[in-house]
């Protein structure tokens, strides 16, 4: 099986699923498919098809970023794994570094001050 190992290897939709699942976990909510679907729909402003969501959740499970367990007979619960949390941390650091670099370039070019960035 070809596992995904880096943030950029995931599709944008898979990254959004991972972010939403982590956000729901942080809010101490049950992380199940319909909760993820509702949050994605709120973010996108449009319907998310089950046929798109669940195969991508399965891909994240297979890659080891999310684990799946039975919540009840009809519902699965999803949790971010340590590998998924690490991936989110790396992505967060990369975004922070990029923002810091952009702010430094603006100041160095004289286009603004540090407070403007």
């Amino acid at each position: 099986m070809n596992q995904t190992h880096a943030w950029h290897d995931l599709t944008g939709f898979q990254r959004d699923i991972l972010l939403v699942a982590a956000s729901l976990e942080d809010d101490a909510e049950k992380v199940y498919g319909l909760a993820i679907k509702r949050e994605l729909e709120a973010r996108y402003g449009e319907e998310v098809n089950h046929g798109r969501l669940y195969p991508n959740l399965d891909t994240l499970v297979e890659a080891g970023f999310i684990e799946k367990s039975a919540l009840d007979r009809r519902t699965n619960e999803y949790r971010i794994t340590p590998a998924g949390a690490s991936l989110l941390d790396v992505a967060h650091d990369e975004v922070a570094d990029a923002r810091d670099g952009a702010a430094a370039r603006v100041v160095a070019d004289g286009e603004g001050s540090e407070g403007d960035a």
Side-chain angles (χ1 to χ4, degrees):
M1 175 183 315
N2 183 12
Q3 286 193 334
T4 302
H5 296 284
W7 184 252
H8 65 269
D9 291 330
L10 299 176
T11 67
F13 188 65
Q14 291 165 347
R15 290 189 297 256
D16 288 347
I17 291 171
L18 200 58
L19 289 166
V20 165
S23 175
L24 290 170
E25 272 188 35
D26 286 347
D27 292 341
E29 295 186 35
K30 293 282 186 196
V31 182
Y32 57 97
L34 286 178
I36 294 169
K37 181 180 183 298
R38 284 188 204 116
E39 182 64 27
L40 288 169
E41 288 174 342
R43 290 178 181 212
Y44 293 164
E46 60 186 47
E47 184 178 353
V48 172
N49 187 308
H50 284 79
R52 181 177 182 205
L53 175 63
Y54 290 100
N56 281 284
L57 272 167
D58 288 340
T59 298
L60 291 168
V61 168
E62 290 170 15
F65 298 134
I66 291 180
E67 62 185 22
K68 177 170 75 170
S69 61
L71 186 60
D72 60 38
R73 292 179 67 187
R74 295 184 50 206
T75 308
N76 290 317
E77 183 173 16
Y78 299 92
R79 308 293 291 166
I80 303 295
T81 65
S86 177
L87 184 68
L88 287 168
D89 288 343
V90 168
H92 177 269
D93 291 346
E94 287 178 0
V95 169
D97 289 348
R99 291 188 70 194
D100 290 345
R105 282 191 304 278
V106 168
V107 171
D109 290 344
E111 295 179 18
S113 67
E114 288 185 41
D116 292 340

